[in-house]
């Protein structure tokens, strides 16, 4: 059974590498539609990582919301704002080398920090299993206030989006 | 312990799999037996899916033919039984035409990506008493999440074809599918509330009762939930009367205009497999799944699913098509508030006793349906009065 | 149950975040910038869940916060894309360097 454990770890690292490759595709491809598809692939890979971290409910919610709704929204916006074959414009602006240098420094600094910190990993946390019922009780119990605030934010966003994106009909002004 | 013959017929597939794994574990190491178990389940699903799809196409053509007072296909086999094989040969040998301006990679990927979720949802469908392929404890949420990924390849197919009609059809199809996902998800919530679990097997077990009267469909919220879920399932599979996006007389063929041969066969296969799984889940959630008195459990499941599929085919032969603004208005303005009222009804059922519960449920349901119908009155012109001129 | 060492997951989400920041800083298309912001929010989510699994006293905290982050990310994407659509209608472009009327 050791082999299965080893294969599962190898698979997880492979999925992580895949997510990073798709993320690189998101930020460098010229065709914006391909970027959106690479984003969808990266988000599905992230859902697999959530399953490995034993957060299965959140993995299903991630696929339902991000891939099913947010990526759909992005693709709708791409289709409504782009001509059918516009792939010749350069995607990066002139700050590209500076950004790469700055970010490499940032990543190096934080990697050193992460490897040095003594993380307080507890066995009780590793063995704890979160059930959907536990999440529901927490949402209605300890986190009821953020839950209500989120519902207000969502209504505000819904109404705001519809108002901003509506076409102004000339007849309606009169 | 010798059990009755019914038990053995019921467990025939489970017993077969356990026997094969036993045989393999004599000369294979432990981890390979785990792999073999996964491979057996996958192979069964990969064989079951396309075979079901093939004979569903035949069933549909024969039933539509009978509704329209003609025979369906009956030349190829005895009752047309070899017709799907002839269709398959036709699809395999057709020329694969890709438009010159099309985005080749995305054009190839779209039919592949649409078949994968259609096959993945077979994993949580409870075919029989211990015959769920993977008994996830978030089974139903997995089903809803994976079937919501189906919207993406429709965009891919319509955009990559570089065709105005494909784009229009694809956007309408995607808008329809995401609109009908929300009432579908909310219509399932009462079943989850009453069985306290998201696992499909537990939901079926929560409907066990005396003489099968505890099926969720025999409760007020169950009837409403089942009807809403069934209508949303018909819309999710792009079946008539919700098939404006792929109507041949209006939009050439919607998002799969530019596909021919095997790629079109994959789109077709995904639609029929979605039909089967959605009817299967409707039977599981509301009609009691694999329960029934005398026959083995898997026979009951396939029977109930078959009845629901015949009702969907009946819809196809009977109703005219919805117009696109009626379609969207129906989902957002009628079905969505109805599902929210349904959740309220479920809570009412839980907290009152039996007869009183029916009375209050019918009262609340009657008032809310009346309000919704009044609010949804589309513009109907008054009847004109014609005066005869003498 | 697979137990990866915690620093590995943290470095992975750091790299994902850095790729998202690079995209947000460098891309010209406004929708491209919004897509990179989604990547950043995802990296933060992976961090939240990893910490909740490895070091937290109450294991639901990380997952509930991740749920809220997903909701807020969807909200931000929706409002951002509505603004992009309105902008496209007026200025007929979605390149960030051409929307420069307020520049001094």
């Amino acid at each position: 059974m050791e082999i299965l454990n080893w294969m599962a770890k190898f698979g997880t690292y492979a999925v992580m590498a895949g997510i990073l490759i798709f993320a690189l595709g998101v930020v460098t491809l010229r065709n914006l539609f391909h970027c959106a598809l690479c984003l969808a692939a990266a988000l599905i890979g992230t859902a697999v990582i959530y399953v490995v971290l034993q957060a299965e409910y959140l993995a299903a919610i991630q696929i339902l919301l991000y891939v099913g709704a947010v990526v759909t929204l992005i693709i709708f916006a791409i289709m409504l704002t782009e001509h059918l074959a516009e792939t010749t414009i350069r995607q990066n602006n002139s700050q590209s080398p500076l950004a790469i240098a700055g970010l490499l420094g940032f990543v190096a600094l934080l990697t050193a920090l992460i490897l040095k910190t003594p993380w307080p990993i507890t066995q009780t946390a590793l063995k704890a299993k979160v059930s959907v019922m536990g999440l529901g009780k927490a949402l209605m119990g300890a986190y009821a206030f953020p839950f209500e605030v989120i519902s207000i934010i969502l209504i505000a966003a819904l109404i705001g989006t519809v108002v901003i994106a509506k076409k102004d009909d000339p007849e309606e002004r009169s | 312990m010798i059990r009755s013959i019914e038990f053995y017929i019921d467990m025939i597939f489970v017993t077969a799999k356990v026997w094969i794994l036993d045989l393999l574990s004599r000369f294979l190491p432990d981890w390979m037996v785990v792999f073999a178990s996964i491979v057996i389940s996958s192979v069964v699903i990969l064989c079951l899916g396309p075979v079901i799809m093939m004979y569903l196409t035949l069933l549909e053509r024969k039933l539509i033919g009978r509704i329209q007072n003609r025979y369906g296909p009956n030349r190829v086999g005895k009752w047309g039984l070899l017709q799907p094989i002839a269709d398959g040969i036709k699809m395999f040998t057709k020329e694969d035409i890709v438009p010159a301006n099309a985005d080749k990679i995305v054009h190839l990927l779209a039919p592949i990506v649409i078949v994968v979720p259609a096959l993945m949802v077979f994993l949580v469908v409870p075919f029989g008493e211990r015959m769920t392929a993977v008994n996830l404890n978030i089974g139903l949420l997995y089903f809803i999440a994976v079937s919501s990924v189906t919207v993406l390849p429709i965009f891919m197919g319509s955009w990559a074809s570089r065709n105005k009609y494909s784009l229009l059809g694809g956007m309408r199809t995607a808008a329809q599918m995401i609109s009908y996902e929300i009432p579908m998800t909310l219509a399932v919530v009462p079943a989850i509330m009453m069985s306290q679990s998201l696992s499909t097997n537990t939901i079926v077990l929560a409907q066990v009762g005396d003489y099968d009267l505890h099926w969720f469909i025999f409760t007020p919220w169950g009837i409403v939930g089942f009807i809403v879920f069934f209508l949303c399932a018909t819309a999710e599979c792009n079946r008539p009367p919700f098939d404006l996006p792929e109507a041949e007389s209006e939009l050439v063929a919607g998002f799969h205009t530019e596909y021919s041969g095997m790629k079109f066969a994959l789109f077709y296969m995904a639609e029929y497999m979605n039909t089967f799984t959605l009817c299967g889940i409707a039977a599981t959630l509301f009609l009691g799944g694999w329960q029934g008195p005398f026959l083995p459990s898997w026979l009951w499941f396939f029977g109930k699913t078959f009845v629901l599929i015949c009702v969907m085919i009946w819809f196809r032969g009977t109703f005219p098509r919805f117009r696109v603004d009626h379609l969207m208005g129906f989902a957002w303005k009628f079905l969505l508030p109805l599902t929210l009222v349904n959740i309220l009804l479920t809570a009412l059922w839980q907290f009152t006793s039996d007869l009183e519960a029916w009375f209050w449920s019918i009262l609340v349901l009657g008032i809310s349906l009346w309000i919704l119908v009044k609010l949804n009155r589309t513009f109907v012109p008054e009847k004109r009065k014609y005066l005869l001129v003498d | 149950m697979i137990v990866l060492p915690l620093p590995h997951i943290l470095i992975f989400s750091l790299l994902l975040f850095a790729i998202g920041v690079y995209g947000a800083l460098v891309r010209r298309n406004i929708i491209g910038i919004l897509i990179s912001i989604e990547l950043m929010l995802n990296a933060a989510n992976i961090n939240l869940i990893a910490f909740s699994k490895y070091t937290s006293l109450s294991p639901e905290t990380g997952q509930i916060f991740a749920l809220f982050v997903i909701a807020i990310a969807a909200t931000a994407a929706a409002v951002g894309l509505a603004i992009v659509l309105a902008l496209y209608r007026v200025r007929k472009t979605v390149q960030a360097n051409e929307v420069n009327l307020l520049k001094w």
Side-chain angles (χ1 to χ4, degrees):
Chain A
M1 285 302 199
E2 275 303 310
I3 297 190
L4 277 181
N5 219 353
W6 177 84
M7 283 168 109
K9 276 197 187 179
F10 176 72
T12 312
Y13 285 120
V15 169
M16 284 187 184
I19 294 176
L20 288 174
I21 294 177
F22 278 121
L24 279 173
V26 168
V27 302
T28 50
L29 285 175
R30 279 187 182 210
N31 189 347
L32 201 59
F33 190 71
H34 290 176
C35 294
L37 291 180
C38 288
L39 179 72
L43 293 173
I44 294 180
T46 316
V48 172
I49 300 282
Y50 289 172
V51 173
V52 168
L53 289 173
Q54 295 191 318
E56 305 105 4
Y57 178 76
L58 215 59
I61 294 282
Q62 161 108 353
I63 292 188
L64 181 62
L65 286 184
Y66 260 126
V67 180
V70 173
V71 173
T72 307
L73 193 59
I74 290 174
I75 293 182
F76 259 118
I78 292 176
M79 285 183 175
L80 288 173
T81 61
E82 183 152 308
H83 311 289
L84 266 181
E86 197 175 287
T87 57
T88 51
I89 301 184
R90 198 177 147 214
Q91 277 300 338
N92 309 336
N93 61 15
S94 57
Q95 300 169 350
S96 177
L98 202 61
I100 294 182
L103 279 172
L104 277 176
F106 171 69
V107 168
L109 177 67
L110 276 178
T111 313
L113 269 178
I114 288 174
L115 288 173
K116 269 198 178 168
T117 320
W119 299 107
I121 299 181
T122 57
Q123 282 300 318
T124 49
L126 274 178
K127 288 196 182 19
K129 274 207 72 70
V130 181
S131 66
V132 182
M133 198 176 273
L135 279 177
K137 283 188 183 157
L139 260 183
M140 289 287 133
Y143 299 101
F145 181 63
F147 182 65
E148 300 297 330
V149 170
I150 282 260
S151 70
I152 297 179
I153 292 180
L154 283 170
I155 291 183
L158 194 70
I159 298 177
T161 309
V162 170
V163 166
I164 295 178
K166 223 168 71 132
K167 269 197 189 145
D168 274 331
D169 277 333
E171 312 172 343
E172 283 193 59
R173 297 238 185 105
S174 59
Chain B
M1 188 170 109
I2 307 285
R3 296 208 174 93
S4 64
I5 187 92
E6 264 182 3
F7 180 77
Y8 284 118
I9 298 183
D10 213 358
M11 292 279 126
I12 191 171
F13 296 108
V14 179
T15 323
K17 180 176 173 179
V18 167
W19 182 78
I20 294 181
L21 285 178
D22 238 354
L23 192 63
L24 285 177
S25 75
R26 298 223 182 127
F27 51 88
L28 281 182
D30 251 346
W31 57 275
M32 273 195 140
V33 175
V34 173
F35 261 118
S37 146
I38 298 175
V39 164
I40 290 176
S41 292
S42 315
V43 163
V44 167
I45 288 178
L46 284 173
C47 293
L48 199 67
V51 168
I52 288 179
M53 171 255 173
M54 289 193 328
Y55 283 97
L56 260 183
T57 55
L58 180 66
L59 175 72
E60 169 153 2
R61 288 168 75 173
K62 295 221 49 104
L63 267 182
I64 294 276
R66 289 287 175 172
I67 293 177
Q68 294 169 351
N69 205 8
R70 57 180 171 92
Y71 296 114
N74 59 358
R75 298 282 175 192
V76 186
K78 166 69 170 114
W79 284 308
L81 283 174
L82 295 179
Q83 177 75 32
I85 302 184
D87 270 339
I89 295 178
K90 173 189 83 165
M91 298 250 181
F92 269 115
T93 56
K94 260 196 177 177
E95 180 189 353
D96 189 20
I97 302 176
V98 176
N101 254 351
D103 200 346
K104 300 225 171 12
I105 307 177
V106 179
H107 189 90
L108 176 64
L109 276 178
I112 300 175
V113 175
I114 203 172
V115 162
V116 171
L119 279 172
M120 273 171 77
V121 295
F122 273 90
L123 287 176
V124 287
V125 175
F127 288 106
E129 182 148 358
R130 260 165 254 178
M131 290 180 9
T132 317
V134 180
N135 196 1
L136 288 175
N137 62 342
I138 49 155
L140 206 58
L141 191 60
Y142 166 87
F143 167 78
I144 293 173
V146 168
S147 61
S148 80
V149 173
T150 316
V151 180
L152 212 58
I154 291 179
F155 273 125
M156 285 163 73
S158 67
W159 181 257
S161 306
R162 300 261 197 264
N163 181 350
K164 287 191 191 36
Y165 296 107
S166 288
L167 195 59
L168 207 55
M171 288 182 81
R172 280 193 197 175
T173 311
Q176 174 189 318
M177 287 179 89
I178 57 180
S179 309
Y180 278 90
E181 251 165 42
I182 300 181
M184 190 164 89
T185 313
L186 287 174
V188 158
V189 167
I192 301 175
M193 277 166 72
M194 292 308 270
S195 53
Q196 308 273 329
S197 157
L198 280 170
S199 154
T200 44
N201 219 8
T202 316
I203 295 180
V204 175
L205 286 173
Q207 300 179 57
V208 164
D210 38 9
Y211 304 116
D212 295 326
L213 280 179
H214 279 245
W215 292 356
F216 287 157
I217 200 175
F218 295 126
T219 57
W221 49 268
I223 298 176
V224 174
F226 175 68
I227 293 178
V228 171
F229 184 80
F230 195 64
L231 289 174
C232 294
T234 321
E236 281 284 312
C237 305
N238 288 337
R239 286 192 71 89
F242 297 100
D243 74 335
L244 186 69
E246 47 179 53
E248 269 119 29
S249 51
E250 299 178 33
L251 264 183
V252 190
F255 65 94
H256 49 73
T257 311
E258 298 282 350
Y259 285 93
S260 62
M262 197 58 207
K263 296 179 185 166
F264 179 74
L266 284 175
F267 273 117
Y268 206 49
M269 183 154 67
E271 179 180 326
Y272 279 96
M273 286 199 287
N274 264 333
T275 311
F276 179 79
T277 37
L278 279 168
C279 289
I281 294 280
T284 322
L285 290 173
F286 295 102
L287 286 176
W290 38 256
Q291 295 168 30
F294 301 109
L295 301 170
S297 57
W298 39 274
L299 214 60
W300 269 113
F301 175 80
F302 277 107
K304 290 178 194 176
T305 312
F306 176 75
V307 166
L308 288 179
I309 292 177
C310 288
V311 172
M312 271 198 186
I313 297 176
W314 194 3
F315 278 3
R316 176 174 181 164
T318 321
F319 290 126
R321 215 168 264 148
F322 268 110
R323 212 172 65 185
V324 69
D325 56 338
H326 287 166
L327 204 108
M328 309 287 277
F330 185 57
W332 289 103
K333 297 193 249 182
F334 186 79
L335 287 181
L336 183 61
L338 191 60
T339 50
L340 294 172
V341 167
N342 201 16
I343 297 179
L344 183 68
L345 281 180
T346 316
L348 207 70
W349 180 265
Q350 175 83 350
F351 286 112
T352 55
S353 67
D354 237 346
L355 202 60
E356 204 184 317
W358 271 101
F359 168 71
W360 283 110
S361 302
I362 293 185
L363 191 67
V364 170
L365 199 59
I367 295 179
S368 53
L369 274 176
W370 183 80
I371 295 177
L372 282 175
V373 166
K374 277 277 183 217
L375 284 176
N376 270 322
R377 186 63 63 87
T378 54
F379 175 65
V380 173
E382 319 167 338
K383 283 190 174 243
R384 297 179 192 150
K385 293 199 169 66
Y386 293 100
L387 297 174
L388 291 174
V389 176
D390 283 329
Chain C
M1 197 179 84
I2 312 169
V3 181
L4 294 175
L6 181 63
H8 291 194
I9 303 181
L10 294 180
I11 294 178
F12 159 67
S13 77
L14 173 68
L15 285 172
L16 194 61
F17 187 79
I19 293 175
V21 172
Y22 174 72
L25 288 175
V26 153
R27 284 189 77 106
R28 275 196 177 152
N29 201 321
I30 302 184
I31 301 182
I33 300 178
L34 281 169
I35 294 180
S36 311
I37 294 180
E38 296 298 323
L39 272 182
M40 287 198 268
L41 286 163
N42 245 298
N45 259 349
I46 295 179
N47 252 353
L48 277 170
I49 293 182
F51 278 127
S52 124
K53 173 148 172 60
Y54 281 83
T55 66
S56 141
L57 286 174
S58 81
E60 291 110 11
T61 313
Q63 293 191 22
I64 291 198
F65 270 101
L67 195 64
F68 288 152
V69 170
I70 292 180
I72 298 278
T75 309
V79 177
L81 290 167
I83 294 179
V84 167
L85 279 177
L87 190 69
Y88 181 75
R89 223 174 271 142
V90 172
R91 300 279 291 159
K92 297 287 183 284
T93 178
V94 279
Q95 303 285 351
N97 55 347
E98 292 177 19
V99 184
N100 53 3
L101 278 180
L102 280 178
K103 217 167 172 182
W104 60 86

